[in-house]
Amino acid sequence: MRIHDITLPLSSELPVYPGDPPIDIAPWTSIADGDVANVSRITLCTHSGTHLDPPRHFDQEGLPVDQIPLDLLVGKAQVVEITNTFEIGRHELERLPVRGVERLLIKTGNSELWKESEFVENYATLTSEGASFLIEVGVRLVGIDYLSIESITGSGDVHHKLLEKGIIILEGLNLAEVAPGEYELICLPLKVKDGDGAPVRAILRGGPEHTTQTDFDPHSSKWPLS
């Protein structure tokens, strides 16, 4: 079965959302320096790279990342593609196969932005109206291919609407080489106790037979992966 790695490799080269701390990976001990093993220290934000936003992100009493039901993070997912717009609302979504979908991943032109070394402020986002529509049709997890599902000028309304209804947000996906269609999603976060978010390793299995995605190489370190 074909496996698509839709996770961004964590590195100091990876853009972060404005205001978040940068990713820093530095040697702690090094064989090259005469130590017996290589050990590195990692400093990063809970919302670095490919990550989950649980309700705790915007609500101090909300469900934390370590208590998200695992069966929500593993299962059938629908990838839809929406291009030529920066605002994804009801009009864009209602024409797509999203009704009855529990896990929805939205592929946009954002996936091409991972080629940029700096954060790009002009990216495609879900609107408040779009969030209301996803609530209406019963989506339980929604993902998008940039570091936020909401505009950088947003008030937080999109996050609030989704998270208050228990809809988990999966951000920072790389869907550049993934064709629209039905897949199996597996996206398991770091088990951060009472966490407001956590990086995940997200993969898709299966999908349309016409996709040209190359076979998954677990040993590749090329960035970005898709």
Side-chain angles (χ1 to χ4, degrees):
M1 178 179 289
R2 190 179 298 274
I3 299 178
H4 308 260
D5 188 357
I6 57 174
T7 311
L8 298 169
L10 294 170
S11 78
S12 59
E13 302 171 7
L14 187 65
V16 298
Y17 192 82
D20 286 353
I23 300 169
D24 181 57
I25 304 174
W28 185 254
T29 63
S30 171
I31 295 174
D33 292 336
D35 297 310
V36 298
N38 292 317
V39 176
S40 297
R41 177 182 60 197
I42 300 178
T43 303
L44 75 168
C45 172
T46 51
H47 299 267
S48 296
T50 309
H51 65 276
L52 285 178
D53 286 359
R56 179 65 59 90
H57 185 33
F58 274 77
D59 178 359
Q60 185 59 36
E61 302 303 320
L63 187 76
V65 73
D66 58 315
Q67 294 182 27
I68 298 174
L70 293 181
D71 60 1
L72 179 56
L73 305 178
V74 178
K76 186 185 300 183
Q78 185 74 31
V79 176
V80 297
E81 185 168 13
I82 301 174
T83 56
N84 302 318
T85 183
F86 288 101
E87 297 185 344
I88 301 168
R90 173 181 290 269
H91 176 72
E92 289 74 24
L93 291 165
E94 64 185 359
R95 298 175 295 172
L96 297 169
V98 300
R99 294 183 182 277
V101 170
E102 283 192 315
R103 304 168 193 85
L104 177 68
L105 306 184
I106 303 173
K107 177 182 179 179
T108 73
N110 292 344
S111 285
E112 296 301 319
L113 299 181
W114 297 124
K115 298 175 182 178
E116 305 294 330
S117 59
E118 301 294 331
F119 183 87
V120 178
E121 294 190 359
N122 194 26
Y123 56 95
T125 63
L126 187 68
T127 67
S128 180
E129 180 188 62
S132 295
F133 178 74
L134 295 185
I135 294 168
E136 176 185 315
V137 299
V139 169
R140 298 180 61 210
L141 178 149
V142 58
I144 199 164
D145 48 357
Y146 210 53
L147 289 173
S148 179
I149 201 167
E150 187 165 358
S151 169
I152 194 170
T153 60
S155 65
D157 181 56
V158 172
H159 279 84
H160 277 291
K161 278 191 173 183
L162 296 172
L163 296 175
E164 286 173 1
K165 294 297 183 180
I167 299 173
I168 303 304
I169 302 171
L170 175 57
E171 297 171 326
L173 298 172
N174 185 0
L175 299 171
E177 302 298 327
V178 176
E182 186 177 288
Y183 298 81
E184 180 189 20
L185 171 68
I186 302 173
C187 61
L188 300 179
L190 292 176
K191 195 171 183 180
V192 180
K193 182 175 174 56
D194 298 327
D196 55 73
V200 306
R201 185 65 182 266
I203 65 170
L204 294 173
R205 299 203 306 174
E209 292 184 357
H210 66 270
T211 181
T212 58
Q213 169 73 15
T214 57
D215 288 340
F216 172 64
D217 179 2
H219 305 294
S220 174
S221 60
K222 183 179 179 182
W223 182 87
L225 293 175
S226 56

